Amino acid sequence: MSELGTIEELPKDYVTALTDLNVGPLWPSLRAFLPFGQPDRETVPTFWRYQDIRPLLLQAGELTPIEKAERRVLMLCNPGLGLENAQATPSIYLGYQLILPGEVAPNHRHTPSAIRFVVEGEGGYTTVEGEKLPMERGDLILTPSGLWHEHGHTGSGPVIWLDALDLPLVYRMEASYAVEGPPQSPKNIPDSSQRLYRRAGLTPYKALDRNRSKYPLLRYPWKEVRQNLLDLASGSGPGEAVHLAYINPETGDECLPILGFSALMLRPGEEVAPARRSCSAVLHAIEGRGQTEVDGATFDWAEHDTVAVPTYANFKIRNGSSKEPAFLFMVDDAPMQRKLGFYEEFS
Ligand code: 1HN
């Protein structure tokens, strides 16, 4: 590995001549762009404790009416990436969103894709392209790129969910924008998770023709996911990861193009050390408590807490209870890395 030349070694008038033409030499920056062995990372393992953030989110409900916010969100920002940049990891935007009884977060659509993972409260809903999706605790709701979506709340008490978006990438591609629309008129029928994709292995017959919707299923009820994790655990031994991926039921692919979603169960007392991976991720505790170790930093988590895992990081997750299972929701950017051809797992 030879030392590369620096800018300082070049004649000043040569550098000025280049600069005047909006041109630059590659070699002084080559190692920074392309380090040997492993990428340089600015993302730091970061922990957000829900019980610390919750009172401030509720305070936002008093300070800022929904009309002045459109979306009342406190963003989870990775300090290594700059708090102003709205990045939990290089590719993942995260925020806790609050909606109060009677409020409406108005209808819009935008180029970034989003998901909502419901944290607490009853009576919230999201309407996507006329399909009204109830938001129950632990449900995963998709609002893919370009689809109209609005949120409302007809219950009592606060409703809070975790938003995840591929905004950091779309924004840096200078391709992020939204369009506002009039309120939707939802169809008065149960959502597709209750009607069309009730069970794995069955699809509405007409989906067999090739005019498929790109996003056939927009709500993944936690009740079903939790039971499936318990069933998966009972048919496997300790040490075998209890891990389910959320997929598009028509294609078997990931549900969205950039970000991927999965749910993990830790058996009582279990510790798992997933393979080190090239993708970045966030882990959100759905139920239970435990510890997560990310590149040597240890975080003690309880329900609804969230941890950021940088690319190529070592991590371990431990269930803090010897009696109850723990459940975690994971967001990562593996779908994009797979499509780009450089996704890796290291054992
Ligand atoms: C958005 O549209 C929502 O629809 C939430 O609830 C958070 C953050 C950035 C850009 C768009 C929503 C968002 C967002």
Side-chain angles (χ1 to χ4, degrees):
M1 187 193 316
S2 59
E3 278 297 308
L4 298 178
T6 65
I7 273 277
E8 290 73 29
E9 287 165 13
L10 297 169
K12 280 229 159 50
D13 55 350
Y14 176 73
V15 174
T16 306
L18 294 180
T19 308
D20 287 346
L21 298 174
N22 297 321
V23 164
L26 169 61
W27 58 95
S29 318
L30 183 59
R31 288 286 179 266
F33 289 141
L34 214 52
F36 285 122
Q38 183 171 300
D40 295 327
R41 296 157 306 159
E42 281 165 3
T43 310
V44 292
T46 305
F47 180 55
W48 294 276
R49 194 191 308 280
Y50 184 63
Q51 289 308 329
D52 292 343
I53 298 170
R54 186 179 186 274
L56 299 173
L57 184 56
L58 293 176
Q59 202 179 343
E62 293 160 17
L63 294 171
T64 307
I66 195 76
E67 296 75 22
K68 289 235 167 193
E70 282 181 32
R71 302 298 193 260
R72 194 189 289 110
V73 178
L74 294 181
M75 305 184 292
L76 310 190
C77 305
N78 193 294
L81 298 169
L83 295 180
E84 65 290 2
N85 288 320
Q87 291 166 291
T89 78
S91 61
I92 305 172
Y93 161 101
L94 283 185
Y96 288 111
Q97 180 164 173
L98 167 69
I99 187 162
L100 294 168
E103 289 184 339
V104 169
N107 191 30
H108 70 182
R109 61 188 172 95
H110 41 68
T111 48
S113 289
I115 63 99
R116 333 282 158 187
F117 192 86
V118 184
V119 170
E120 67 165 282
E122 269 149 46
Y125 64 88
T126 295
T127 306
V128 182
E129 298 282 326
E131 184 175 347
K132 188 168 175 178
L133 309 163
M135 299 176 92
E136 292 172 15
R137 192 187 144 142
D139 289 356
L140 172 67
I141 307 281
L142 309 185
T143 61
S145 176
L147 302 196
W148 291 106
H149 58 280
E150 64 190 59
H151 314 294
H153 181 3
T154 49
S156 54
V159 163
I160 298 174
W161 61 78
L162 182 71
D163 287 315
L165 281 84
D166 53 17
L167 180 69
L169 288 179
V170 180
Y171 178 72
R172 277 162 195 80
M173 290 164 77
E174 300 188 347
S176 179
Y177 78 101
V179 181
E180 279 190 305
Q184 300 180 45
S185 319
K187 292 171 266 183
N188 189 20
I189 47 172
D191 72 271
S192 299
S193 73
Q194 306 304 307
R195 229 161 34 84
L196 305 179
Y197 300 97
R198 201 71 194 85
R199 298 197 69 83
L202 289 174
T203 185
Y205 190 85
K206 73 173 171 28
L208 292 176
D209 81 38
R210 295 294 130 177
N211 289 326
R212 288 170 173 168
S213 150
K214 247 165 97 178
Y215 305 108
L217 183 60
L218 298 169
R219 173 176 176 236
Y220 297 75
W222 172 239
K223 254 188 254 162
E224 312 272 348
V225 180
R226 188 181 190 281
Q227 188 57 50
N228 201 335
L229 286 165
L230 289 167
D231 294 344
L232 186 58
S234 69
S236 62
E240 282 180 71
V242 186
H243 193 184
L244 288 171
Y246 295 85
I247 58 162
N248 175 326
E250 293 296 348
T251 63
D253 295 333
E254 293 110 338
C255 343
L256 293 178
I258 296 179
L259 299 184
F261 314 99
S262 58
L264 281 152
M265 184 186 122
L266 301 176
R267 299 174 180 87
E270 188 171 39
E271 173 173 303
V272 297
R276 202 165 67 84
R277 310 196 298 163
S278 55
C279 59
S280 68
V282 300
L283 287 164
H284 172 79
I286 308 168
E287 205 183 301
R289 59 187 169 82
Q291 289 89 41
T292 298
E293 227 178 279
V294 188
D295 274 346
T298 303
F299 306 115
D300 264 290
W301 47 262
E303 276 175 16
H304 317 311
D305 293 349
T306 304
V307 171
V309 181
T311 58
Y312 299 84
N314 283 299
F315 74 106
K316 265 190 220 159
I317 326 165
R318 206 170 307 117
N319 184 346
S321 167
S322 55
K323 296 196 176 68
E324 304 295 333
F327 297 94
L328 295 155
F329 174 63
M330 178 154 78
V331 181
D332 62 38
D333 54 11
M336 175 187 59
Q337 291 201 348
R338 287 193 187 96
K339 288 185 187 77
L340 297 178
F342 58 80
Y343 176 75
E344 284 183 279
E345 289 185 5
F346 308 85
S347 43

